[in-house]
Amino acid sequence: MPKGYWVSVYPTITDPEALDVYNERAGLAVAAAGGRVLASIGSRVDAHEAGIAERVVLIEFDSFEKAVAARASAAYQEALAELPDGFERDFRIIEGLD
């Protein structure tokens, strides 16, 4: 069964401390859903074309369905409510190839 992945790219982070509560709650929600963080804060980025060398987060789940369910979970929805106003990111859930 192909794995599922959350891919988040943060174009600009003007106030990293404003994300502290979200990061804590999101981390707990991801762990509870069986997600494994493969790349996150502090990971090196070599951006090309329209890429932006900012924070990229990559999280792996056992399946695409589990990744989608984790995003819909009550715990993650509570984390999302903690994102500051005007916050921007590019978030996708993708299915792995195998």
Side-chain angles (χ1 to χ4, degrees), residues 4-71:
Y5 297 90
W6 284 10
V7 182
S8 300
V9 178
Y10 298 71
T12 306
I13 300 175
T14 56
D15 184 6
E17 292 79 29
L19 295 174
D20 288 348
V21 174
Y22 164 78
N23 288 335
E24 181 179 333
R25 289 188 179 183
L28 293 172
V30 165
R36 294 167 298 284
V37 178
L38 302 180
S40 187
I41 302 166
S43 297
R44 298 187 324 171
V45 177
D46 184 18
H48 299 272
E49 287 77 42
I52 298 169
E54 258 299 349
R55 181 186 308 182
V56 176
V57 178
L58 177 62
I59 300 174
E60 179 182 68
F61 293 85
D62 289 338
S63 70
F64 179 79
E65 290 75 18
K66 288 184 179 183
V68 170
R71 171 115 184 9

